[in-house]
Every structure is written in C-alpha cells, then in structure tokens.
Amino acid sequence: TIGAQGRIYACKGFPYDGWCGLEGYEPATGPYWAMAWEIVGDCEGDGTRPPTQMPTSKAPTTSVSIGNPSSETESSNVE
C-alpha cells in the first residue's frame, strides 16, 4: 500500500499486480492507474496509518518426527 493525494492505495492482485511498478500506472495519475490500484482508505492526521494485524499463513502445519523412532521422539512444526 502507498499513500498519494490524501488517499491510501493497494496494488491489485494477480494478474494486475505487474502494472503497479510501471510508469503511467502510479496511483491517481493518468488514465490507467485504476487498472493496477484500488483505493483502500483516506490518509488521516499526520499522514501515517496505524499498524495492521500481523499477517498469518494459511498453509497447513505438519508435524515431523526427528530422530530414531524407537527412542524419544522430537517433533517440529513445518510450514
């Protein structure tokens, strides 16, 4: 996300995300910016945003055994 002209913009996902870094697609400029960006809010106060929640992984967690199966087993989470 980036701020421009008092608004906060987020790059659209695939397949539009390739345009976000190209000249002529900067947020709120020219005729093509809306193909790559969407408005997600307005800048308030001093132009900073409060922190968002920490991203979480949607990948499944798998338990893996390490060591000799006949001895005490250690496990580790693998994402």
Side-chain angles (χ1 to χ4, degrees):
T1 58
I2 64 170
Q5 298 184 359
R7 292 209 165 142
I8 301 169
Y9 298 86
C11 182
K12 291 182 178 181
F14 181 82
Y16 310 104
D17 55 347
W19 294 330
C20 293
L22 298 178
E23 186 176 337
Y25 291 89
E26 296 90 353
T29 61
Y32 306 113
W33 74 268
M35 295 171 72
W37 299 91
E38 61 185 345
I39 299 170
V40 295
D42 292 320
C43 293
E44 298 176 3
D46 62 0
T48 61
R49 265 178 94 176
T52 58
Q53 293 182 0
M54 178 177 280
T56 57
S57 172
K58 293 187 182 204
T61 303
T62 306
S63 181
V64 177
S65 295
I66 301 172
N68 186 343
S70 63
S71 66
E72 189 175 305
T73 303
E74 297 177 14
S75 65
S76 172
N77 288 333
V78 177
E79 294 186 354

